[in-house]
Amino acid sequence: MSTCAECRSFFLREDEPGQGDCVRRVVDPRQAFYQSKPVREDNDASGCESFQKK
Amino acid sequence: MVAEPAQDQSVQELEDKQEWWWVAEKKRSKRLDYLRKSVWKKGALGGNYAPGIKLDLECATLFTDMWKFWKYDPIMMRRAKAIAHVLDNKTIFITDHSQLVGYFGSLPNTIMWRVDGASMVNEEAYNEPGIMPEPENESLQKVAELNDYWAGQTAVDKVARILDPEDAVKFLSGAIGWGAPSSAYGYSGKDYEYLFAGRRGFEDIIEEINAAVENAEDKTVGVPGPEILDIYDRLQNWDAMILVLEAGIRHARRYARLARTMAENMETDEKRREELLKIAETCERVPARAPRNLQESLQYDHFIQIFARTEAHEGAWPARPDYYHGPYYDKDVNVDKTLTKEEALDLVGEFMIRAYEVGGFAPRWAREGLQGITGTWVWTLGGVNKDGSDACNDLTVAFLQAARLVRVSNPTFGFRWHPKVKDEVLRECFECIRHGLGYPSMRNDPLLIQNAMHWHGHPLEEARTWVHQACMSPCPTTKHGVQPMRMASATANCAKMVEYALHNGYDHVVGMQMGPETGDAAKFHDFEELFQAWVKQMEWLTSLLVRTVNLGRYKDPEFFGRPFLSGMSERSVESGLDVVSPVGDRGNCWVTAFTWVENIDSLAAVKKLVFDDKKYTMEQLLSALKANWDGYEEMRLDFVNNAPKWGNDDDYVDDIMLRCLRETARHSRVMKCPSGNSWPILPENVSGNIHYASIVGALPNGRRCGDALYDGGISPGPGLDKKGPSAVLKSCGKIDHVSDGRAFLLNQRLSPTQLAGEKGYQLWKAYIRTWADLGLDHVQFNMVSDETLRAAQKDPEKYSEVIVRVAGYSAHFVDISRKTQDNIIQRTVQGI
Amino acid sequence: MSRRSQWKQVANGMLGDVSKARSVEERENVPEKACGFCKNFSENAYASDGRGYCRKLKVGSDIKVTPPVYVMEGQASLTVLFNSDGAGCEYFNRQDLIDTDGNEVNDPSYRRVQRQMEKAIK
């Protein structure tokens, strides 16, 4: 099973063990941006379409 | 005149052609150009959302999950926990080139859904075309589940259940008014004096709350007695405030972390990396602590607005940005010179863009009534300081200049004019108007300060802090002066007053006995009988709407609860009461009077043609009205062309206006708000004149059911003010703008050709002087030619950036319905 | 009966049936003779959740039962939804809709803005 911690988009939070942010670049029809969503490092990432192994 | 892309033309050429939208594109920085074009427009096109706009299911789901989980908590605490959960877990984003961050949805193209506000709005979201995120079937299933959970327990459901059933039926008929009697929707005032003048960050507020809690806790373990019983509730409220303020600090730090992650791991451009680190530093500072510079101050303000909108669907954006952020501009640009004027202009322009992109799911009546925009974000500029001196500063000018560069239709500005305003500032106002923005609206500051003292008893210094609470109504920004929540359901479709007076209170459009039975108008012998029937209908209609708001306001802390907004209020921080509680609020209510002038022109027409000239009988008139004038065209034209019309300096009809206003002002003092203060009326329309077009029946001014109503306030009917701008001003000047009502909207169209160049400015300045001398409180201008507007109707893509003043707000011309467009073109262009 | 009780009945007639929880299927279903297709349907100007008034029938009417109950006199009009089934109603009178996407703000009588209506017409 792949976990979020193994993904290039995962950034561990220094002050919260086990907790991190999934940070991804998105380009929509009007603008480009980076988005961030909280995830845990041990989250199952096997179903994630955006998963990219580090 | 054909608008062509600007690339091959110089700024001068474009200015000569008055194609200001291309001028803006040429003049603004690359950053502002990118950010302005990157916005997903959330304002409805006519009544529907634009392609690509999607309902935000992430926030609605996060909120509901936590709301269900904490089901035994008191409502304020329960809401605080649900909001904190949203702020901690929703998706956030930082747009390329931006320096300010924060959006209340989860993605740039989403509209926030206030899922706990009203179940009928929830069902509307389910039915709405085009807004379900893909895959649609899954989204529909999710929305249906959320709707079923919230059915019956939303804020409006709770109020509707306890309203008098007759009031509920009539209010919900949609015929006489709109708005929701709940702080789930509405216009929240902010205690800016506490926050910005007091230089407080959230940590400072939490410290003050902790001190209040400590003091109160001592009492709960002290001598038993009735006086300590309400402290238990207050302690819960204080805890809820702290909880949500801490969540706000954490949320900002999520942005700081994202900006740092981007700077350290993704960004290759050195300059952008520095900007991202500056964003990180800013979001680590605010809202936790008070701002130190312009970027922090603007970012702090924006966070406050976003958090308040995470808590409730706010339909307005009361603000006075030049006054409260001005000291930071001065420090950065003039004293420390850490920012150039151009850099500051970029920040100010982006600050406006960040507000422009904000939009939540709004019910259809709100979308149709505010076509093209997402709420009335009328920011206040200019005015006076508390000591009466001129408050305009360099940031006032920067906002007016930035507005011409970013050309957003929301926010707009209302400018507090007073005799001490410097010429250089007035010129900037005029340039915005000349560029066709339709704003700033001009507000007569000395008169409105007097008005605030007259109606609501605000002390002078308090009154001088006023901001537009919605489109028009002044509200102070102080501890006791700020009205925390204006619930929009005291918005009256006033044309119904004369309609009901003519039909014995019966509404032929919705098929219901609405108003009191004031007698068969066919049997009225003189104008006085009709007028007295009108007075009774006016009293009934305004009283019904005010009852719903008063009840909504009184019950709101029990039915909804505003922990974040409470934390922004000195009164609540001190007392532990929900900010919407009327306790300690001086009271600053008003009845928004839509479709007002139809009453005046209709009454005048009946007086003249039926009772004075005896050209027609009441039976004939009522038959014509019941037939919607079908088969009575000659007679209808007589009522249009040969009856006196408001706005022509004709005492015959102007006296009727004064009688109507004074009867209403008398009744305004009879009706009381929960704080015991009066309910003056405020005639204005937004685009309610189109929304209500098919709901108001035929009227004696010659209008048929379905025709657009007048554009509102005390503006004369479009094309009916035939005697020039001075006559309009003189008619309006007969009204006492202090004691006859809270404020009076006046739309005027001016000729861009006549007002070109320096001569144009001098003419306009002289007009404003006359306007002020005659004692009017408001005027706003459209200065776009018929030619341009007609060309925009034919070729909307080429003119997508043309802006017009609708009524109380501006919109991009291509975003409003054809009917509203025609109504604007129909307005008389006044030569001055 | 007191004034309040009388109006409570009217309020229940207007509001009761349309506020209850419904399945996705119920929400999506647009019958062949849905009230929304009828000339007598007048969309409510306050709530665009699909409720509207029948211009013919008053509160107390019931078009779901057989035979239908028609009340022609009363204080308030019968509230129905755009997708209430009007098959059994003798006053059903089909009209052509001229604005089914609601972009043009116009007389609600001539438009139906609900997504389901758009789908049903296409």
Side-chain angles (χ1 to χ4, degrees), chain B residues 45 48 123 126-127 148 164 166 172-173 179 365 368 694, chain C residues 3 27-28 44 46 49 53 58 101 103 108 111 115-116:
Chain B
L45 314 178
N48 282 5
E123 213 53 50
Y126 179 90
N127 293 342
D148 288 348
D164 180 272
E166 182 178 350
L172 294 173
S173 74
W365 54 259
E368 291 181 353
S694 56
Chain C
R3 179 197 64 83
R27 285 179 166 103
E28 291 297 310
N44 184 306
Y46 183 78
D49 56 352
Y53 298 112
K58 299 291 183 186
D101 70 4
N103 258 320
R111 68 167 192 212
R115 176 181 45 77
Q116 299 93 316

PDB file of all heavy atoms in Angstrom, chain B residues 45 48 123 126-127 148 164 166 172-173 179 365 368 694, chain C residues 3 27-28 44 46 49 53 58 101 103 108 111 115-116:
ATOM      1  N   LEU B  45     -25.267  35.780 -14.209  1.00  0.00           N
ATOM      2  CA  LEU B  45     -25.546  36.422 -15.482  1.00  0.00           C
ATOM      3  C   LEU B  45     -27.064  36.451 -15.612  1.00  0.00           C
ATOM      4  O   LEU B  45     -27.678  35.433 -15.918  1.00  0.00           O
ATOM      5  CB  LEU B  45     -24.929  35.627 -16.634  1.00  0.00           C
ATOM      6  CG  LEU B  45     -23.475  35.172 -16.419  1.00  0.00           C
ATOM      7  CD1 LEU B  45     -22.982  34.356 -17.594  1.00  0.00           C
ATOM      8  CD2 LEU B  45     -22.570  36.368 -16.211  1.00  0.00           C
ATOM      9  N   ASN B  48     -28.510  33.246 -13.695  1.00  0.00           N
ATOM     10  CA  ASN B  48     -27.770  31.981 -13.589  1.00  0.00           C
ATOM     11  C   ASN B  48     -26.286  32.195 -13.384  1.00  0.00           C
ATOM     12  O   ASN B  48     -25.733  33.207 -13.809  1.00  0.00           O
ATOM     13  CB  ASN B  48     -27.943  31.163 -14.878  1.00  0.00           C
ATOM     14  CG  ASN B  48     -29.278  30.465 -14.918  1.00  0.00           C
ATOM     15  OD1 ASN B  48     -30.117  30.646 -14.055  1.00  0.00           O
ATOM     16  ND2 ASN B  48     -29.473  29.665 -15.946  1.00  0.00           N
ATOM     17  N   GLU B 123     -32.631  23.456  -1.284  1.00  0.00           N
ATOM     18  CA  GLU B 123     -33.331  22.732  -2.347  1.00  0.00           C
ATOM     19  C   GLU B 123     -33.117  23.429  -3.697  1.00  0.00           C
ATOM     20  O   GLU B 123     -33.034  22.789  -4.739  1.00  0.00           O
ATOM     21  CB  GLU B 123     -34.821  22.654  -1.997  1.00  0.00           C
ATOM     22  CG  GLU B 123     -35.518  21.388  -2.461  1.00  0.00           C
ATOM     23  CD  GLU B 123     -34.820  20.103  -2.015  1.00  0.00           C
ATOM     24  OE1 GLU B 123     -34.505  19.946  -0.816  1.00  0.00           O
ATOM     25  OE2 GLU B 123     -34.579  19.255  -2.874  1.00  0.00           O
ATOM     26  N   TYR B 126     -29.926  22.328  -5.069  1.00  0.00           N
ATOM     27  CA  TYR B 126     -30.070  21.012  -5.700  1.00  0.00           C
ATOM     28  C   TYR B 126     -30.619  21.152  -7.121  1.00  0.00           C
ATOM     29  O   TYR B 126     -30.172  20.462  -8.050  1.00  0.00           O
ATOM     30  CB  TYR B 126     -31.003  20.126  -4.857  1.00  0.00           C
ATOM     31  CG  TYR B 126     -31.208  18.757  -5.467  1.00  0.00           C
ATOM     32  CD1 TYR B 126     -30.358  17.698  -5.155  1.00  0.00           C
ATOM     33  CD2 TYR B 126     -32.232  18.535  -6.384  1.00  0.00           C
ATOM     34  CE1 TYR B 126     -30.521  16.457  -5.752  1.00  0.00           C
ATOM     35  CE2 TYR B 126     -32.394  17.307  -6.987  1.00  0.00           C
ATOM     36  CZ  TYR B 126     -31.545  16.265  -6.664  1.00  0.00           C
ATOM     37  OH  TYR B 126     -31.709  15.043  -7.264  1.00  0.00           O
ATOM     38  N   ASN B 127     -31.581  22.026  -7.296  1.00  0.00           N
ATOM     39  CA  ASN B 127     -32.255  22.156  -8.597  1.00  0.00           C
ATOM     40  C   ASN B 127     -31.489  22.998  -9.604  1.00  0.00           C
ATOM     41  O   ASN B 127     -31.850  23.025 -10.779  1.00  0.00           O
ATOM     42  CB  ASN B 127     -33.629  22.830  -8.409  1.00  0.00           C
ATOM     43  CG  ASN B 127     -34.602  21.965  -7.637  1.00  0.00           C
ATOM     44  OD1 ASN B 127     -34.407  20.770  -7.524  1.00  0.00           O
ATOM     45  ND2 ASN B 127     -35.646  22.580  -7.099  1.00  0.00           N
ATOM     46  N   ASP B 148     -31.542  16.720   3.182  1.00  0.00           N
ATOM     47  CA  ASP B 148     -32.444  15.965   4.061  1.00  0.00           C
ATOM     48  C   ASP B 148     -32.037  16.129   5.520  1.00  0.00           C
ATOM     49  O   ASP B 148     -32.886  16.215   6.403  1.00  0.00           O
ATOM     50  CB  ASP B 148     -32.445  14.483   3.670  1.00  0.00           C
ATOM     51  CG  ASP B 148     -33.182  14.247   2.359  1.00  0.00           C
ATOM     52  OD1 ASP B 148     -33.865  15.194   1.903  1.00  0.00           O
ATOM     53  OD2 ASP B 148     -33.074  13.157   1.786  1.00  0.00           O
ATOM     54  N   ASP B 164     -45.903  34.611  13.216  1.00  0.00           N
ATOM     55  CA  ASP B 164     -47.349  34.515  13.119  1.00  0.00           C
ATOM     56  C   ASP B 164     -47.664  33.858  11.770  1.00  0.00           C
ATOM     57  O   ASP B 164     -47.092  34.254  10.740  1.00  0.00           O
ATOM     58  CB  ASP B 164     -47.968  35.912  13.172  1.00  0.00           C
ATOM     59  CG  ASP B 164     -49.478  35.830  13.068  1.00  0.00           C
ATOM     60  OD1 ASP B 164     -49.995  35.828  11.933  1.00  0.00           O
ATOM     61  OD2 ASP B 164     -50.112  35.738  14.127  1.00  0.00           O
ATOM     62  N   GLU B 166     -50.048  34.044   9.678  1.00  0.00           N
ATOM     63  CA  GLU B 166     -50.528  34.955   8.631  1.00  0.00           C
ATOM     64  C   GLU B 166     -49.341  35.748   8.058  1.00  0.00           C
ATOM     65  O   GLU B 166     -49.197  35.889   6.843  1.00  0.00           O
ATOM     66  CB  GLU B 166     -51.577  35.919   9.197  1.00  0.00           C
ATOM     67  CG  GLU B 166     -52.135  36.839   8.135  1.00  0.00           C
ATOM     68  CD  GLU B 166     -53.228  37.773   8.680  1.00  0.00           C
ATOM     69  OE1 GLU B 166     -53.680  37.571   9.829  1.00  0.00           O
ATOM     70  OE2 GLU B 166     -53.614  38.705   7.950  1.00  0.00           O
ATOM     71  N   LEU B 172     -43.796  34.928   2.840  1.00  0.00           N
ATOM     72  CA  LEU B 172     -43.223  33.916   1.947  1.00  0.00           C
ATOM     73  C   LEU B 172     -43.926  33.856   0.594  1.00  0.00           C
ATOM     74  O   LEU B 172     -43.513  33.099  -0.285  1.00  0.00           O
ATOM     75  CB  LEU B 172     -43.251  32.539   2.628  1.00  0.00           C
ATOM     76  CG  LEU B 172     -42.349  32.417   3.858  1.00  0.00           C
ATOM     77  CD1 LEU B 172     -42.565  31.083   4.574  1.00  0.00           C
ATOM     78  CD2 LEU B 172     -40.876  32.560   3.494  1.00  0.00           C
ATOM     79  N   SER B 173     -44.971  34.664   0.432  1.00  0.00           N
ATOM     80  CA  SER B 173     -45.606  34.727  -0.893  1.00  0.00           C
ATOM     81  C   SER B 173     -44.653  35.332  -1.913  1.00  0.00           C
ATOM     82  O   SER B 173     -44.783  35.120  -3.112  1.00  0.00           O
ATOM     83  CB  SER B 173     -46.880  35.582  -0.832  1.00  0.00           C
ATOM     84  OG  SER B 173     -46.527  36.960  -0.743  1.00  0.00           O
ATOM     85  N   GLY B 179     -35.548  38.789   1.379  1.00  0.00           N
ATOM     86  CA  GLY B 179     -34.584  38.724   2.477  1.00  0.00           C
ATOM     87  C   GLY B 179     -34.954  37.654   3.478  1.00  0.00           C
ATOM     88  O   GLY B 179     -36.055  37.116   3.452  1.00  0.00           O
ATOM     89  N   TRP B 365     -33.860  35.002  -5.995  1.00  0.00           N
ATOM     90  CA  TRP B 365     -34.334  36.380  -5.839  1.00  0.00           C
ATOM     91  C   TRP B 365     -33.162  37.325  -5.608  1.00  0.00           C
ATOM     92  O   TRP B 365     -33.182  38.468  -6.041  1.00  0.00           O
ATOM     93  CB  TRP B 365     -35.403  36.519  -4.748  1.00  0.00           C
ATOM     94  CG  TRP B 365     -35.060  35.996  -3.377  1.00  0.00           C
ATOM     95  CD1 TRP B 365     -35.460  34.824  -2.839  1.00  0.00           C
ATOM     96  CD2 TRP B 365     -34.268  36.632  -2.355  1.00  0.00           C
ATOM     97  NE1 TRP B 365     -34.958  34.667  -1.571  1.00  0.00           N
ATOM     98  CE2 TRP B 365     -34.236  35.759  -1.245  1.00  0.00           C
ATOM     99  CE3 TRP B 365     -33.578  37.842  -2.282  1.00  0.00           C
ATOM    100  CZ2 TRP B 365     -33.542  36.066  -0.071  1.00  0.00           C
ATOM    101  CZ3 TRP B 365     -32.891  38.150  -1.105  1.00  0.00           C
ATOM    102  CH2 TRP B 365     -32.882  37.270  -0.027  1.00  0.00           C
ATOM    103  N   GLU B 368     -31.303  37.667  -9.019  1.00  0.00           N
ATOM    104  CA  GLU B 368     -32.021  38.526  -9.965  1.00  0.00           C
ATOM    105  C   GLU B 368     -32.058  39.975  -9.484  1.00  0.00           C
ATOM    106  O   GLU B 368     -32.073  40.904 -10.288  1.00  0.00           O
ATOM    107  CB  GLU B 368     -33.442  38.012 -10.166  1.00  0.00           C
ATOM    108  CG  GLU B 368     -33.472  36.694 -10.909  1.00  0.00           C
ATOM    109  CD  GLU B 368     -34.875  36.189 -11.146  1.00  0.00           C
ATOM    110  OE1 GLU B 368     -35.849  36.791 -10.624  1.00  0.00           O
ATOM    111  OE2 GLU B 368     -34.999  35.183 -11.849  1.00  0.00           O
ATOM    112  N   SER B 694     -42.753  41.298 -12.854  1.00  0.00           N
ATOM    113  CA  SER B 694     -43.921  40.461 -13.143  1.00  0.00           C
ATOM    114  C   SER B 694     -44.760  40.200 -11.897  1.00  0.00           C
ATOM    115  O   SER B 694     -45.754  39.491 -11.955  1.00  0.00           O
ATOM    116  CB  SER B 694     -43.461  39.132 -13.739  1.00  0.00           C
ATOM    117  OG  SER B 694     -42.561  38.515 -12.857  1.00  0.00           O
TER     118      SER B 694
ATOM    119  N   ARG C   3     -58.170  33.518  14.420  1.00  0.00           N
ATOM    120  CA  ARG C   3     -57.436  33.977  13.247  1.00  0.00           C
ATOM    121  C   ARG C   3     -56.155  33.170  13.075  1.00  0.00           C
ATOM    122  O   ARG C   3     -55.823  32.707  11.985  1.00  0.00           O
ATOM    123  CB  ARG C   3     -57.093  35.471  13.423  1.00  0.00           C
ATOM    124  CG  ARG C   3     -56.293  36.074  12.269  1.00  0.00           C
ATOM    125  CD  ARG C   3     -55.634  37.383  12.686  1.00  0.00           C
ATOM    126  NE  ARG C   3     -54.651  37.166  13.752  1.00  0.00           N
ATOM    127  CZ  ARG C   3     -53.397  36.765  13.537  1.00  0.00           C
ATOM    128  NH1 ARG C   3     -52.965  36.570  12.318  1.00  0.00           N
ATOM    129  NH2 ARG C   3     -52.567  36.564  14.542  1.00  0.00           N
ATOM    130  N   ARG C  27     -36.885  13.796  -6.384  1.00  0.00           N
ATOM    131  CA  ARG C  27     -36.457  15.140  -6.767  1.00  0.00           C
ATOM    132  C   ARG C  27     -36.232  15.242  -8.282  1.00  0.00           C
ATOM    133  O   ARG C  27     -36.424  16.276  -8.879  1.00  0.00           O
ATOM    134  CB  ARG C  27     -35.150  15.506  -6.053  1.00  0.00           C
ATOM    135  CG  ARG C  27     -35.316  15.839  -4.590  1.00  0.00           C
ATOM    136  CD  ARG C  27     -33.952  16.152  -3.977  1.00  0.00           C
ATOM    137  NE  ARG C  27     -34.055  16.792  -2.688  1.00  0.00           N
ATOM    138  CZ  ARG C  27     -33.855  16.182  -1.523  1.00  0.00           C
ATOM    139  NH1 ARG C  27     -33.589  14.900  -1.494  1.00  0.00           N
ATOM    140  NH2 ARG C  27     -33.951  16.852  -0.388  1.00  0.00           N
ATOM    141  N   GLU C  28     -35.774  14.149  -8.870  1.00  0.00           N
ATOM    142  CA  GLU C  28     -35.436  14.191 -10.291  1.00  0.00           C
ATOM    143  C   GLU C  28     -36.637  13.975 -11.197  1.00  0.00           C
ATOM    144  O   GLU C  28     -36.646  14.390 -12.346  1.00  0.00           O
ATOM    145  CB  GLU C  28     -34.374  13.121 -10.605  1.00  0.00           C
ATOM    146  CG  GLU C  28     -33.017  13.406 -10.014  1.00  0.00           C
ATOM    147  CD  GLU C  28     -32.383  14.671 -10.563  1.00  0.00           C
ATOM    148  OE1 GLU C  28     -32.315  14.851 -11.774  1.00  0.00           O
ATOM    149  OE2 GLU C  28     -31.977  15.517  -9.729  1.00  0.00           O
ATOM    150  N   ASN C  44     -43.033  30.790  -7.296  1.00  0.00           N
ATOM    151  CA  ASN C  44     -42.934  31.696  -6.144  1.00  0.00           C
ATOM    152  C   ASN C  44     -41.724  32.615  -6.311  1.00  0.00           C
ATOM    153  O   ASN C  44     -40.645  32.165  -6.683  1.00  0.00           O
ATOM    154  CB  ASN C  44     -42.789  30.859  -4.868  1.00  0.00           C
ATOM    155  CG  ASN C  44     -42.779  31.700  -3.616  1.00  0.00           C
ATOM    156  OD1 ASN C  44     -41.982  32.627  -3.493  1.00  0.00           O
ATOM    157  ND2 ASN C  44     -43.654  31.405  -2.685  1.00  0.00           N
ATOM    158  N   TYR C  46     -40.254  34.266  -3.976  1.00  0.00           N
ATOM    159  CA  TYR C  46     -39.376  34.291  -2.812  1.00  0.00           C
ATOM    160  C   TYR C  46     -38.468  33.060  -2.786  1.00  0.00           C
ATOM    161  O   TYR C  46     -37.268  33.170  -2.605  1.00  0.00           O
ATOM    162  CB  TYR C  46     -40.205  34.344  -1.531  1.00  0.00           C
ATOM    163  CG  TYR C  46     -39.348  34.453  -0.296  1.00  0.00           C
ATOM    164  CD1 TYR C  46     -38.788  35.665   0.060  1.00  0.00           C
ATOM    165  CD2 TYR C  46     -39.073  33.335   0.487  1.00  0.00           C
ATOM    166  CE1 TYR C  46     -37.970  35.771   1.173  1.00  0.00           C
ATOM    167  CE2 TYR C  46     -38.258  33.432   1.603  1.00  0.00           C
ATOM    168  CZ  TYR C  46     -37.716  34.649   1.947  1.00  0.00           C
ATOM    169  OH  TYR C  46     -36.897  34.738   3.043  1.00  0.00           O
ATOM    170  N   ASP C  49     -37.065  27.208  -4.967  1.00  0.00           N
ATOM    171  CA  ASP C  49     -36.762  25.797  -4.795  1.00  0.00           C
ATOM    172  C   ASP C  49     -37.703  24.943  -5.622  1.00  0.00           C
ATOM    173  O   ASP C  49     -37.698  23.732  -5.520  1.00  0.00           O
ATOM    174  CB  ASP C  49     -36.851  25.408  -3.321  1.00  0.00           C
ATOM    175  CG  ASP C  49     -38.194  25.742  -2.711  1.00  0.00           C
ATOM    176  OD1 ASP C  49     -39.012  26.405  -3.388  1.00  0.00           O
ATOM    177  OD2 ASP C  49     -38.451  25.342  -1.559  1.00  0.00           O
ATOM    178  N   TYR C  53     -47.395  28.715  -7.064  1.00  0.00           N
ATOM    179  CA  TYR C  53     -48.834  28.736  -6.793  1.00  0.00           C
ATOM    180  C   TYR C  53     -49.592  28.228  -8.009  1.00  0.00           C
ATOM    181  O   TYR C  53     -49.188  28.451  -9.149  1.00  0.00           O
ATOM    182  CB  TYR C  53     -49.306  30.161  -6.525  1.00  0.00           C
ATOM    183  CG  TYR C  53     -48.673  30.786  -5.327  1.00  0.00           C
ATOM    184  CD1 TYR C  53     -47.785  31.843  -5.466  1.00  0.00           C
ATOM    185  CD2 TYR C  53     -48.967  30.315  -4.058  1.00  0.00           C
ATOM    186  CE1 TYR C  53     -47.193  32.424  -4.371  1.00  0.00           C
ATOM    187  CE2 TYR C  53     -48.378  30.883  -2.955  1.00  0.00           C
ATOM    188  CZ  TYR C  53     -47.485  31.939  -3.117  1.00  0.00           C
ATOM    189  OH  TYR C  53     -46.898  32.492  -2.026  1.00  0.00           O
ATOM    190  N   LYS C  58     -57.284  26.770  -4.816  1.00  0.00           N
ATOM    191  CA  LYS C  58     -56.973  27.373  -3.523  1.00  0.00           C
ATOM    192  C   LYS C  58     -56.528  26.304  -2.536  1.00  0.00           C
ATOM    193  O   LYS C  58     -56.714  25.092  -2.770  1.00  0.00           O
ATOM    194  CB  LYS C  58     -58.209  28.105  -2.973  1.00  0.00           C
ATOM    195  CG  LYS C  58     -58.687  29.237  -3.878  1.00  0.00           C
ATOM    196  CD  LYS C  58     -57.702  30.383  -3.878  1.00  0.00           C
ATOM    197  CE  LYS C  58     -58.190  31.547  -4.720  1.00  0.00           C
ATOM    198  NZ  LYS C  58     -57.188  32.595  -4.843  1.00  0.00           N
ATOM    199  N   ASP C 101     -33.811  28.255 -19.292  1.00  0.00           N
ATOM    200  CA  ASP C 101     -32.573  28.252 -18.518  1.00  0.00           C
ATOM    201  C   ASP C 101     -32.495  29.415 -17.542  1.00  0.00           C
ATOM    202  O   ASP C 101     -31.592  29.486 -16.729  1.00  0.00           O
ATOM    203  CB  ASP C 101     -31.339  28.193 -19.429  1.00  0.00           C
ATOM    204  CG  ASP C 101     -31.123  29.476 -20.216  1.00  0.00           C
ATOM    205  OD1 ASP C 101     -31.880  30.435 -19.992  1.00  0.00           O
ATOM    206  OD2 ASP C 101     -30.220  29.513 -21.044  1.00  0.00           O
ATOM    207  N   ASN C 103     -31.704  32.448 -17.814  1.00  0.00           N
ATOM    208  CA  ASN C 103     -30.695  33.495 -17.955  1.00  0.00           C
ATOM    209  C   ASN C 103     -31.329  34.860 -18.159  1.00  0.00           C
ATOM    210  O   ASN C 103     -30.816  35.870 -17.729  1.00  0.00           O
ATOM    211  CB  ASN C 103     -29.777  33.200 -19.146  1.00  0.00           C
ATOM    212  CG  ASN C 103     -28.462  32.628 -18.679  1.00  0.00           C
ATOM    213  OD1 ASN C 103     -27.918  33.073 -17.679  1.00  0.00           O
ATOM    214  ND2 ASN C 103     -27.972  31.623 -19.365  1.00  0.00           N
ATOM    215  N   PRO C 108     -41.779  35.022 -14.435  1.00  0.00           N
ATOM    216  CA  PRO C 108     -41.620  33.628 -14.020  1.00  0.00           C
ATOM    217  C   PRO C 108     -42.668  32.704 -14.646  1.00  0.00           C
ATOM    218  O   PRO C 108     -42.457  31.510 -14.740  1.00  0.00           O
ATOM    219  CB  PRO C 108     -41.796  33.679 -12.507  1.00  0.00           C
ATOM    220  CG  PRO C 108     -41.496  35.071 -12.133  1.00  0.00           C
ATOM    221  CD  PRO C 108     -41.923  35.917 -13.302  1.00  0.00           C
ATOM    222  N   ARG C 111     -41.096  30.878 -17.658  1.00  0.00           N
ATOM    223  CA  ARG C 111     -39.800  30.232 -17.568  1.00  0.00           C
ATOM    224  C   ARG C 111     -39.860  29.159 -16.491  1.00  0.00           C
ATOM    225  O   ARG C 111     -40.677  29.223 -15.584  1.00  0.00           O
ATOM    226  CB  ARG C 111     -38.724  31.237 -17.201  1.00  0.00           C
ATOM    227  CG  ARG C 111     -38.914  31.724 -15.788  1.00  0.00           C
ATOM    228  CD  ARG C 111     -37.740  32.462 -15.257  1.00  0.00           C
ATOM    229  NE  ARG C 111     -37.927  32.625 -13.824  1.00  0.00           N
ATOM    230  CZ  ARG C 111     -37.493  33.655 -13.146  1.00  0.00           C
ATOM    231  NH1 ARG C 111     -36.850  34.610 -13.745  1.00  0.00           N
ATOM    232  NH2 ARG C 111     -37.690  33.730 -11.856  1.00  0.00           N
ATOM    233  N   ARG C 115     -33.061  22.674 -13.109  1.00  0.00           N
ATOM    234  CA  ARG C 115     -32.248  21.784 -13.943  1.00  0.00           C
ATOM    235  C   ARG C 115     -33.078  20.624 -14.482  1.00  0.00           C
ATOM    236  O   ARG C 115     -32.972  20.241 -15.659  1.00  0.00           O
ATOM    237  CB  ARG C 115     -31.089  21.253 -13.073  1.00  0.00           C
ATOM    238  CG  ARG C 115     -30.182  20.246 -13.700  1.00  0.00           C
ATOM    239  CD  ARG C 115     -29.108  19.811 -12.689  1.00  0.00           C
ATOM    240  NE  ARG C 115     -29.664  19.530 -11.366  1.00  0.00           N
ATOM    241  CZ  ARG C 115     -30.326  18.421 -11.053  1.00  0.00           C
ATOM    242  NH1 ARG C 115     -30.475  17.475 -11.937  1.00  0.00           N
ATOM    243  NH2 ARG C 115     -30.833  18.257  -9.831  1.00  0.00           N
ATOM    244  N   GLN C 116     -33.970  20.097 -13.635  1.00  0.00           N
ATOM    245  CA  GLN C 116     -34.763  18.941 -14.047  1.00  0.00           C
ATOM    246  C   GLN C 116     -35.714  19.297 -15.190  1.00  0.00           C
ATOM    247  O   GLN C 116     -35.985  18.477 -16.058  1.00  0.00           O
ATOM    248  CB  GLN C 116     -35.583  18.409 -12.859  1.00  0.00           C
ATOM    249  CG  GLN C 116     -34.747  17.945 -11.679  1.00  0.00           C
ATOM    250  CD  GLN C 116     -34.549  19.040 -10.645  1.00  0.00           C
ATOM    251  OE1 GLN C 116     -34.272  20.190 -10.984  1.00  0.00           O
ATOM    252  NE2 GLN C 116     -34.687  18.699  -9.380  1.00  0.00           N
TER     253      GLN C 116
END
